[in-house]
Amino acid sequence: MPAFRSGTPRTPRRPRLAAATGTLLTSLALLLTVPGTATATSEEDVPARGTARMGQGVIEHDGRGGPPRDPRVVQTEGVDVSSHQGNVAWGTLWNSGVKWAYAKATEGTYYKNPSFAQQYNGSYAVGMIRGAYHFATPDTTSGAAQANYFVDNGGGWSRDGKTLPGVLDIEWNPYGAQCYGLSRAGMVAWIRDFTTTYRARTGRDAVIYTATSWWKECTGNNAGFGATNPLWVARYNTTVGELPAGWPVQTIWQYTSTGPVVGDHNRFNGALDRVRALANG
């Protein structure tokens, strides 16, 4: 043991562990106050680029409740698919009552769904009204660049009565920060860049797919799109719940990821003639 002379005051040791712990907790608290900064906990948790699909983060972030209650208005059943489903049994879905479908066409400016042709053309061949969607990655390229990539690779529109306008799938980032590293104003500007470009290319306003909680966190619950862009909202529960600001009603509700034949099932808010009306513009 070290010896100390009588009368010499001891210098107290610094509480290094306590100080380090306090610094760490302060940093974590600051991180938690920044919208959309949560990321995957390890490299193993991050999926490969291109594998994102519509509604991938819904259960993790919003949970899942019971099946929808009987609607007060007529609803028309539809599905959404991506490369995860591969070749889809469209005849089986048609016979089960599914009358419309959306297939993932693109992601960012780096990915095209290899199953898109079978899914997009196959649904059309059995009589469904169908469309394409784009999974947005606002941290990789501009909204305009991604809208052009989408239109050039399956996301266009034609007035044939069976082609729905394209969808901007804007939701939780499976590859990193949940708001893609953008401020709320930056995210709104990115979405506007995409939708403006899509309309200029096709003459149609893109449908916006999102979840209310994500929209609140990452756009500040911006109300600027409800007057032009139809809403496709994700909520796996008994009712559609609160909608994002600006939309008094949803056009489509994705209500489950565990439906028959294809997991992702949706209800169009109206009878089949309203689906055709959206297709016709």
Side-chain angles (χ1 to χ4, degrees):
M1 293 179 64
F4 292 92
R5 294 181 181 178
S6 176
T8 301
R10 296 188 182 187
T11 301
R13 295 181 180 179
R14 293 182 178 180
R16 295 178 181 176
L17 180 59
T21 302
T23 301
L24 177 59
L25 291 173
T26 300
S27 299
L28 287 172
L30 288 171
L31 178 61
L32 290 173
T33 63
V34 179
T37 54
T39 59
T41 56
S42 69
E43 291 184 3
E44 289 75 14
D45 294 326
V46 179
R49 283 277 178 181
T51 61
R53 61 191 183 276
M54 187 175 278
Q56 185 165 331
V58 173
I59 294 174
E60 177 185 353
H61 293 274
D62 286 350
R64 177 169 54 195
R69 300 170 186 161
D70 290 338
R72 290 177 293 175
V73 298
V74 176
Q75 309 277 286
T76 307
E77 193 77 5
V79 296
D80 59 89
V81 296
S82 66
S83 62
H84 291 269
Q85 283 79 26
N87 289 343
V88 176
W90 291 113
T92 302
L93 282 166
W94 175 265
N95 292 333
S96 73
V98 173
K99 300 304 178 187
W100 60 270
Y102 268 101
K104 179 180 178 180
T106 52
E107 177 178 317
T109 52
Y110 52 80
Y111 174 84
K112 294 182 285 186
N113 175 12
S115 300
F116 180 72
Q118 191 275 343
Q119 295 172 349
Y120 190 73
N121 297 328
S123 54
Y124 183 94
V126 300
M128 291 186 190
I129 303 171
R130 50 75 162 113
Y133 80 84
H134 173 80
F135 192 93
T137 56
D139 57 341
T140 59
T141 45
S142 70
Q146 294 193 30
N148 283 318
Y149 186 76
F150 178 43
V151 173
D152 291 341
N153 293 284
W157 175 78
S158 59
R159 195 185 295 275
D160 59 4
K162 293 183 70 175
T163 302
L164 293 160
V167 175
L168 171 63
D169 178 358
I170 185 78
E171 57 175 296
W172 298 279
N173 179 11
Y175 310 119
Q178 297 308 311
C179 298
Y180 299 86
L182 299 185
S183 67
R184 288 167 172 171
M187 182 62 75
V188 171
W190 192 97
I191 296 169
R192 184 73 65 194
D193 195 29
F194 183 100
T195 57
T196 300
T197 303
Y198 186 82
R199 180 168 179 79
R201 289 290 307 273
T202 66
R204 295 300 308 273
D205 289 304
V207 176
I208 293 178
Y209 169 96
T210 194
T212 301
S213 62
W214 183 92
W215 192 262
K216 283 183 168 182
E217 179 182 5
C218 297
T219 75
N221 209 19
N222 184 273
F225 297 90
T228 51
N229 301 91
L231 172 66
W232 186 347
V233 69
R235 188 170 189 259
Y236 302 165
N237 217 318
T238 55
T239 65
V240 72
E242 180 187 5
L243 300 180
W247 283 285
V249 67
Q250 82 283 358
T251 297
I252 303 171
W253 170 23
Q254 186 189 57
Y255 66 87
T256 187
S257 61
T258 56
V261 185
V262 166
D264 290 356
H265 273 246
N266 308 268
R267 289 181 172 177
F268 190 97
N269 197 19
L272 186 58
D273 67 314
R274 303 315 303 158
V275 184
R276 290 197 186 97
L278 181 61
N280 287 322

